[in-house]
Amino acid sequence: MEFVSDESGTAESGGGRLGIPRGFRPPGDGPAGRTTGTTAGGDLLAIALLLLAVAWFWIVRVWGPEIPTPDFFAADLYVNFIPAYTSIQRALQAGSLPFWNPYLGCGTPQLALLQSGVLDPARLLLLFVSPTTALELSTIAHVLLSALGTFALARCLGSGICGSLVAAIAFTWGVAFGSLGAPSLPGEPGAWLPVAGFAMVRLSRWGRWRDV
């Protein structure tokens, strides 16, 4: 297979700029690098369906009828994550880093603990809302990020709209379920994986940070 650079159009080998197969164009890239109207409409429809799917899942699983008996799956939310969010909020409001959490057991490390996710940008929500509301908003935001990021990654890799939609739903289903019981473990890091993959694919394909 012959490879060409994205600028000169001549065959290139060795350690030069990363090339792409001759005649290959990513999905949605027309002759002038623009998305055609038909493709753009399909992508927007797929994104709308993703948003509806996430909203449906959230309403049924989180805003549905109250569970009359204790939910073992959600136990960590009450004995781990809400106390951790409370500790982070008090530290941020005091203008300090939450190095230590006095509300778990006899006290536990906070900044050094993966479960707390102290450095996640979503923790800034604690400056404006309660710990429970921040936990809820952070979780749904990461679920949405997972869905949209996976769809964009699949489209960038050449998958069709339907295939990308299936990939987004399948991957996000796992992230969403994991986020409900332990949001800082599989949910938040997992949501960024397709976003990082999308950036890496675009960078390796075009070799320019501005195209990421």
Side-chain angles (χ1 to χ4, degrees):
M1 179 181 293
E2 183 182 4
F3 288 83
V4 296
S5 68
D6 59 337
E7 293 179 354
S8 63
T10 58
E12 178 177 312
S13 61
R17 183 186 294 273
L18 293 173
I20 60 175
R22 181 182 295 277
F24 174 83
R25 289 188 181 277
D29 278 17
R34 297 180 179 177
T35 304
T36 62
T38 303
T39 305
D43 286 334
L44 291 176
L45 178 60
I47 291 173
L49 291 176
L50 281 177
L51 296 178
L52 288 175
V54 171
W56 172 84
F57 175 84
W58 197 252
I59 291 173
V60 170
R61 184 61 180 85
V62 179
W63 289 347
E66 294 185 2
I67 301 174
T69 57
D71 186 356
F72 178 78
F73 179 72
D76 280 347
L77 292 176
Y78 301 98
V79 301
N80 190 347
F81 291 101
I82 292 179
Y85 269 59
T86 301
S87 175
I88 295 172
Q89 183 183 58
R90 294 184 178 181
L92 293 178
Q93 290 176 343
S96 61
L97 286 175
F99 290 101
W100 187 258
N101 182 3
Y103 304 108
L104 286 178
C106 296
T108 59
Q110 184 92 290
L111 185 62
L113 196 63
L114 173 64
Q115 289 181 333
S116 302
V118 173
L119 300 181
D120 190 286
R123 296 301 174 272
L124 294 176
L125 290 169
L126 292 168
L127 293 173
F128 309 101
V129 296
S130 67
T132 53
T133 302
L135 179 63
E136 180 179 341
L137 294 177
S138 173
T139 302
I140 189 63
H142 283 88
V143 171
L144 285 172
L145 179 66
S146 172
L148 298 178
T150 305
F151 180 81
L153 174 60
R155 292 289 285 142
C156 186
L157 290 173
S159 178
I161 294 176
C162 291
S164 300
L165 186 61
V166 171
I169 292 175
F171 182 79
T172 305
W173 186 261
V175 170
F177 263 113
S179 297
L180 294 178
S184 300
L185 294 180
E188 292 177 350
W192 288 100
L193 286 177
V195 178
F198 175 76
M200 291 175 63
V201 169
R202 291 185 64 89
L203 180 61
S204 64
R205 182 170 292 163
W206 284 284
R208 296 175 299 194
W209 284 104
R210 67 184 182 183
D211 292 319
V212 172

